[in-house]
Amino acid sequence: MLIVDAVLETVDTADFSLWPVAGLPPHRLLALSPHMTPLEVGTALATLADYNSRTPDDHRPVTDAHERIRRLLETDKVIAPGGLRIHHTDIDVTVSPGCCCGLEDWREWLDITNGDTPWLGHDPSPRVEHADPVVRLWPHGGDAADAPSERPIEIPVGDLPGILRTVRDGLHGFLSLSPDSGLPATFRLSPWT
């Protein structure tokens, strides 16, 4: 069975007090879905706000939730550390997004159907290999010249559009939860989905 999640790499929220958050450690991959608890939604939104509230022209500290959300809403393109995590339960292999991968580019996975290769990050350097009629996902593929040390996940290329519709539906479900986390109901990341 193939499980595909849109995941966000959490930030340190130990001192975060603008709205309720879960006590998750930083750098954890948090799956975004309609099944999240309100505290997990708060953590996800705190991560998004943290990454997107740093503007070069506004160095004032953010002291309240409304200002933090205002800055996030005014962002031209939401940056979200993370990406797609693929787990194949039959072979117990997981391909997670590498460092510097961004969930904001999740739609680039659809370009695989055209022979393109999306950026999956580095360290652990996951890699996509085109092997018509499947695509192989290597968890620690590194450079294409390296011999992979693990088994790949193979996905029929024709299945990718349906898989990505499921990812989109999960993101919509996450976004539908945002008012329940104590944030203003106007908070939406619709360009993101």
Side-chain angles (χ1 to χ4, degrees):
M1 175 182 191
L2 193 67
I3 300 170
V4 182
D5 292 309
V7 294
L8 190 64
E9 184 180 343
T10 60
V11 295
D12 186 0
T13 57
D15 295 327
F16 188 86
S17 61
L18 297 179
W19 55 78
V21 295
L24 301 175
H27 311 295
R28 177 177 179 244
L29 293 179
L30 177 63
L32 304 180
S33 79
H35 309 291
M36 298 171 72
T37 68
L39 293 178
E40 288 173 330
V41 172
T43 299
L45 296 176
T47 298
L48 293 171
D50 180 69
Y51 265 79
N52 294 280
S53 66
R54 303 173 190 149
T55 60
D57 56 334
D58 191 352
H59 298 288
R60 294 175 295 139
V62 176
T63 58
D64 65 53
H66 291 292
E67 175 65 14
R68 182 66 66 109
I69 295 303
R70 183 192 64 77
R71 288 186 186 186
L72 179 56
L73 291 172
E74 290 176 354
T75 302
D76 291 333
K77 181 178 180 181
V78 174
I79 304 298
L84 298 186
R85 177 179 60 199
I86 297 96
H87 178 71
H88 199 298
T89 60
D90 295 342
I91 59 174
D92 195 28
V93 173
T94 301
V95 177
S96 296
C99 180
C100 300
C101 189
L103 182 55
E104 69 274 8
D105 297 324
W106 72 271
R107 287 183 196 92
E108 291 180 6
W109 279 76
L110 192 55
D111 296 336
I112 291 173
T113 61
N114 299 324
D116 293 341
T117 303
W119 167 246
L120 302 181
H122 51 80
D123 192 18
S125 302
R127 180 171 62 89
V128 172
E129 175 187 356
H130 295 275
D132 196 33
V134 300
V135 61
R136 291 187 184 116
L137 306 174
W138 296 93
H140 299 88
D143 187 339
D146 293 342
S149 60
E150 297 179 327
R151 294 175 60 186
I153 295 174
E154 290 188 351
I155 302 173
V157 174
D159 290 355
L160 283 172
I163 290 168
L164 294 175
R165 276 191 295 277
T166 302
V167 169
R168 181 199 60 209
D169 292 347
L171 287 169
H172 278 283
F174 157 68
L175 293 174
S176 72
L177 297 175
S178 61
D180 295 336
S181 64
L183 295 172
T186 57
F187 181 81
R188 290 287 181 261
L189 296 173
S190 56
W192 207 37
T193 56

